[in-house]
Amino acid sequence: MTLRRRLVLSIVALVVAVSAVIGAGSIIALFSIQRSAIDEQLQFATGRAQRSVEQQGGNGPGLDIGRPSGQAAGTLTVYFLNGDAVVGSVLDNDGDIDRLSGSVVAPLGSVTVDKQPHTIDLGGDLGRYRVTAATVGPAVLVVGLPMAPVYESVWKLFGVVLAVTALALLAASLGAAVVVRRSLRPLERVAETASTVARMPLERSDALDGVRVPDTDPRTEVGRVGTAFNRMLEHIGGAMQARERSEQKVRQFVADASHELRTPLASVRGYAELTRRMGGDLPPDVVYAMGRIESESLRMTSMVEDLLLLARLDEGREIQFDDVDLTGLVFDAVNDAHAASPEHPIDVDVPDQPVVVPGDAARLHQVIVNLVTNARTHTPEGTRITVGIATRDAGVDLTVRDTGQGIDPGFLPKLFERFARADSSRSRSAGSTGLGLAIVDAVVQAHGGSVEVASEPGDTVFTVHLPAVAPQADVDGSARSVDSAASWATVPDRA
């Protein structure tokens, strides 16, 4: 149950318990008081009966014991001589004397002669009586008063207690609901703020700005919780800002380093190529070394270009939107792949009509090339690759499927991280920088889309979802900055 329901039920249960105790105490007190009053009246009635019997001699069946002066209606009087009932009567409500039958008188003969009140059930119309026995000469006089008025008063009070308890229960339920609701509003605001923070994407350092708990009164428990929660949000916001500044410095360093490395790499590649071409009299091992220097400089230049592209994509640059013929890009990429890797059969599954999407043609072409290259590089010769396009209501799906051995399921969550490689999950005949799929993910996100992968032995599918409408652009015409899913601050391994 919720805290509100538990509090309301606890208050209602407490009210019911208190009402029950008060009601039970009141009923017991009323019964004791009225029984004491009956006992007091019984003493006086017994004294009057004794005097009446004494005045009449007290030794014969002709006694008139039922009508002494001052006796109340319902007074019962029985005269026993030598253990036998000589006469027994009771006054009715009209003051007339009613004689008692033997079945009624018989139980009265066992009343102890101690002048103490006793309760006895006479049955029939008489019911319970409060009786006492006293001696009058050689005889025993039993006098009693009915308990019916006492029980009647008790039952009336019991009904009043039930009615009052029911009203108190209703009032307590309504009052407790209102009071508890008002009392828990500050706690509900704390919970709402926590839920808001839990639903918020926290990629941006200013995501928590203005999100605070309004209840911070240090005199209340909820206020202290709100103060601690706000302090925690401030610490989280500060940590996010520090992380963002660190990531920005790393991105800037990568961008600057990549930019600066292009010139010396071009010089190294140029001089190596020049030396290789002009060194006709050079030893074969020197010519081989120059060729390796040229090859590695080309590979390093490609890596530097990829790093520079990722750094610029992280900053929201490098994307210029225009209408792009995605079908033509697929055919161009497939033709290039046929020429580079004829041992991999590649099929194309595209609609008859050209599919046009908003985007950057060069970057979308790079996405297709990287996905096809990834399929060629990490599958054995003869593996069939299929590149397809499917239109949908919200945009276009671009798929690259291969029939290779699949990807290790444990590696899938970090497949699009930078510099990660899945050497253990897919065979590799050629080296890679581990940036190809990271570039695919960054470019697709910059286009407002997403990329997914599903893999099992014999069927691996990369699906790129591209929206039909370009994302909102900044004033300068470039795409709005999209935070990359991977961070330069922590660089894990990737495929």
Side-chain angles (χ1 to χ4, degrees):
M1 292 189 293
T2 63
L3 177 60
R4 177 186 300 171
R5 182 173 297 177
R6 289 201 300 269
L7 290 175
V8 171
L9 290 180
S10 299
I11 294 174
V12 171
L14 182 61
V15 170
V16 171
V18 171
S19 300
V21 171
I22 294 176
S26 301
I27 292 173
I28 293 174
L30 176 64
F31 179 80
S32 299
I33 292 172
Q34 291 207 349
R35 189 177 64 178
S36 297
I38 290 291
D39 292 344
E40 185 177 354
Q41 295 175 14
L42 184 59
Q43 292 179 0
F44 291 114
T46 302
R48 287 192 292 268
Q50 285 178 314
R51 288 191 297 271
S52 176
V53 171
E54 290 174 351
Q55 291 173 359
Q56 299 179 52
N59 58 0
L63 291 173
D64 185 8
I65 61 175
R67 204 193 305 268
S69 176
Q71 298 292 59
T75 302
L76 176 146
T77 308
V78 180
Y79 182 78
F80 290 92
L81 183 62
N82 298 326
D84 297 327
V86 176
V87 63
S89 62
V90 62
L91 289 176
D92 60 15
N93 293 330
D94 297 329
D96 297 331
I97 297 177
D98 293 333
R99 297 299 176 180
L100 297 177
S101 63
S103 60
V104 174
V105 172
L108 296 174
S110 61
V111 177
T112 303
V113 183
D114 54 5
K115 296 185 178 180
Q116 296 298 321
H118 302 277
T119 301
I120 188 169
D121 189 358
L122 300 178
D125 297 333
L126 296 178
R128 288 181 177 272
Y129 260 71
R130 192 74 169 166
V131 299
T132 184
T135 59
V136 181
V140 174
L141 182 65
V142 177
V143 180
L145 292 175
M147 292 288 290
V150 176
Y151 292 121
E152 184 179 357
S153 300
V154 168
W155 279 111
K156 287 181 179 179
L157 179 60
F158 181 74
V160 172
V161 169
L162 286 181
V164 171
T165 302
L167 293 176
L169 179 62
L170 178 60
S173 301
L174 297 177
V178 173
V179 172
V180 170
R181 179 183 294 274
R182 290 184 177 179
S183 300
L184 292 182
R185 280 178 183 173
L187 189 59
E188 290 177 351
R189 286 191 286 268
V190 174
E192 290 174 359
T193 304
S195 300
T196 300
V197 173
R199 292 192 301 267
M200 293 176 60
L202 300 180
E203 290 86 358
R204 296 169 49 188
S205 61
D206 59 347
L208 296 178
D209 290 353
V211 181
R212 292 295 183 271
V213 177
D215 304 280
T216 57
D217 188 349
R219 298 172 298 178
T220 65
E221 293 81 358
V222 176
R224 291 194 289 272
V225 172
T227 300
F229 191 81
N230 289 343
R231 190 177 299 115
M232 181 187 67
L233 293 180
E234 291 174 359
H235 292 332
I236 294 175
M240 292 172 59
Q241 292 176 359
R243 183 199 67 179
E244 185 173 350
R245 288 193 296 268
S246 177
E247 291 180 354
Q248 185 62 31
K249 290 179 181 178
V250 174
R251 290 193 185 104
Q252 188 63 41
F253 167 76
V254 172
D256 294 342
S258 300
H259 186 272
E260 295 299 329
L261 283 174
R262 289 193 301 177
T263 299
L265 283 175
S267 299
V268 169
R269 186 175 72 251
Y271 281 114
E273 183 180 1
L274 180 63
T275 302
R276 179 176 56 81
R277 289 183 178 181
M278 297 180 60
D281 298 332
L282 294 177
D285 55 346
V286 175
V287 174
Y288 174 77
M290 290 296 103
R292 292 302 304 152
I293 292 174
E294 182 181 357
S295 174
E296 291 302 310
S297 65
L298 285 171
R299 194 168 74 90
M300 190 171 182
T301 299
S302 176
M303 181 185 297
V304 168
E305 293 291 343
D306 289 344
L307 289 174
L308 183 60
L309 172 61
L310 286 171
R312 289 176 174 173
L313 287 173
D314 287 340
E315 296 176 355
R317 297 185 293 169
E318 289 292 312
I319 299 296
Q320 300 293 330
F321 284 90
D322 199 357
D323 290 338
V324 177
D325 182 3
L326 192 61
T327 305
L329 296 182
V330 168
F331 280 113
D332 292 342
V334 169
N335 291 333
D336 295 343
H338 274 304
S341 181
E343 65 276 6
H344 281 83
I346 304 179
D347 299 329
V348 177
D349 182 13
V350 296
D352 296 335
Q353 300 297 325
V355 178
V356 178
V357 296
D360 189 311
R363 298 304 165 214
L364 291 178
H365 181 266
Q366 189 173 12
V367 168
I368 302 172
V369 170
N370 285 4
L371 290 176
V372 175
T373 301
N374 182 74
R376 291 191 299 103
T377 303
H378 300 290
T379 57
E381 295 182 1
T383 301
R384 182 169 295 278
I385 301 172
T386 303
V387 183
I389 298 177
T391 59
R392 53 190 178 89
D393 295 338
V396 175
D397 287 344
L398 170 68
T399 58
V400 177
R401 183 189 300 268
D402 67 69
T403 58
Q405 63 271 34
I407 306 173
D408 182 2
F411 184 75
L412 288 176
K414 58 180 180 180
L415 186 63
F416 296 99
E417 296 176 2
R418 300 172 186 184
F419 295 108
R421 295 187 177 92
D423 298 346
S424 61
S425 61
R426 290 164 74 125
S427 62
R428 244 183 17 165
S429 59
S432 70
T433 63
L435 294 175
L437 294 182
I439 291 176
V440 169
D441 186 47
V443 170
V444 172
Q445 286 194 33
H447 281 78
S450 62
V451 57
E452 299 174 354
V453 59
S455 181
E456 61 183 22
D459 186 27
T460 299
V461 184
F462 286 84
T463 304
V464 174
H465 305 287
L466 295 174
V469 180
Q472 185 177 359
D474 291 329
V475 177
D476 59 0
S478 62
R480 187 174 298 278
S481 175
V482 179
D483 287 337
S484 176
S487 170
W488 285 108
T490 55
V491 184
D493 289 338
R494 185 197 292 236

